[in-house]
Amino acid sequence: MNRDPRLPVIERRLAGVTRILAVTGGKGGIGKTLVAAGLALAWGRAGGRAGLLDLDLTGPCAHLVLGGDPPWPEEDFGLVPPLVAGVRFLSLACLSGGRPAPLRGVDLSNALIELLAVARWGELDCLVVDLPPGLGDALLDLVRLLPRTEYLAVATPSRVVVETVRRTLALLAGAGVPILGVLENMRRGESPLVTGLAADAGLPFLGALPFDEGVEAAVGDPEGLVRTAPVAALCHLVAEGRLGSLR
């Protein structure tokens, strides 16, 4: 069987990226995109060179968090992700102009590989990857294509969410990829659910991001976002080195 010629290209494209950190959780509506965008902003404000890749190919929305319609990437022997709020950003939304992109199976995998193969990230301290919900093609392809990727699991204090994330963690552990730990989002009060999930999986509990009703109003305003409670908490975690060193 012939190896896809794009795969070595992906390795070269990412040669200047020190860390790749994928934000996952398996369940929709738990704030993965806010966490991913917030992490990229936090690393940028801590002096790091950060990138954000939205791998939700059928429903990308990270650009909305960062500030609306992203500019078209510069074409220079590939696509150079534009700077958005100080973060190198790439999403299918940069190329589709808001049009729907119904993809499944091999077409979804091909689109993901193509996006990875054409992106020229340059030198980055950390590339944050926003994964879509579920244990589908995007997650499985990332595990297969980029084995050095670290994974950060996001969970909310909900029994349904915790059980979904538990399955995601079991899949990642079985694949032997590095898992940074578990982060609680939308905390409203004390709950043992997410800390218990981390303990059961033998992983670090990285902290809790408080629920903040002001987040929705700050979506699309990066400066406003970093003043919200959850993104401010992410900035604190990054500054403390709880999520790893910038370099």
Side-chain angles (χ1 to χ4, degrees):
M1 183 177 179
N2 293 329
R3 189 181 187 216
D4 190 323
R6 295 172 296 179
L7 302 188
V9 176
I10 293 173
E11 296 170 9
R12 293 197 299 270
R13 295 293 201 199
L14 293 168
V17 177
T18 303
R19 296 181 67 195
I20 305 172
L21 177 59
V23 178
T24 186
K27 192 74 175 169
I30 61 175
K32 294 187 303 300
T33 295
L34 176 70
V35 170
L39 278 174
L41 291 170
W43 262 303
R45 278 154 177 72
R49 298 163 298 179
L52 177 62
L53 172 61
D54 188 347
L55 273 193
D56 191 341
L57 301 184
T58 59
C61 57
H63 61 289
L64 299 175
V65 177
L66 286 182
D69 294 332
W72 184 272
E74 177 187 348
E75 297 185 40
D76 183 13
F77 297 98
L79 297 180
V80 180
L83 272 174
V84 180
V87 172
R88 290 285 174 193
F89 175 71
L90 190 60
S91 163
L92 195 61
C94 296
L95 310 174
S96 66
R99 295 184 300 273
L103 299 166
R104 66 180 182 182
V106 67
D107 291 334
L108 188 61
S109 291
N110 273 327
L112 184 148
I113 292 171
E114 191 68 20
L115 196 62
L116 291 173
V118 300
R120 296 186 56 204
W121 293 101
E123 302 290 325
L124 292 180
D125 296 302
C126 186
L127 174 61
V128 182
V129 181
D130 180 21
L131 282 167
L135 303 180
D137 293 289
L139 175 61
L140 299 176
D141 284 335
L142 197 65
V143 167
R144 173 175 63 93
L145 297 170
L146 302 177
R148 70 181 175 101
T149 301
E150 304 169 78
Y151 291 81
L152 171 65
V154 175
T156 59
S158 154
R159 290 173 62 185
V160 172
V161 170
V162 163
E163 289 309 309
T164 303
V165 177
R166 193 185 307 277
R167 290 191 290 271
T168 301
L169 292 173
L171 182 149
L172 295 173
V177 296
I179 306 172
L180 191 61
V182 180
L183 185 69
E184 181 176 340
N185 194 23
M186 302 185 196
R187 173 175 278 193
R188 293 174 182 264
E190 293 299 319
S191 169
L193 286 173
V194 181
T195 53
L197 169 68
D200 291 346
L203 294 169
F205 175 70
L206 299 172
L209 309 181
F211 178 81
D212 184 347
E213 291 184 352
V215 165
E216 185 63 29
V219 166
D221 173 14
E223 292 302 322
L225 274 177
V226 297
R227 293 192 294 269
T228 64
V231 179
L234 284 172
C235 290
H236 187 64
L237 289 174
V238 167
E240 285 188 330
R242 294 282 302 278
L243 301 178
S245 172
L246 275 172
R247 296 175 177 85

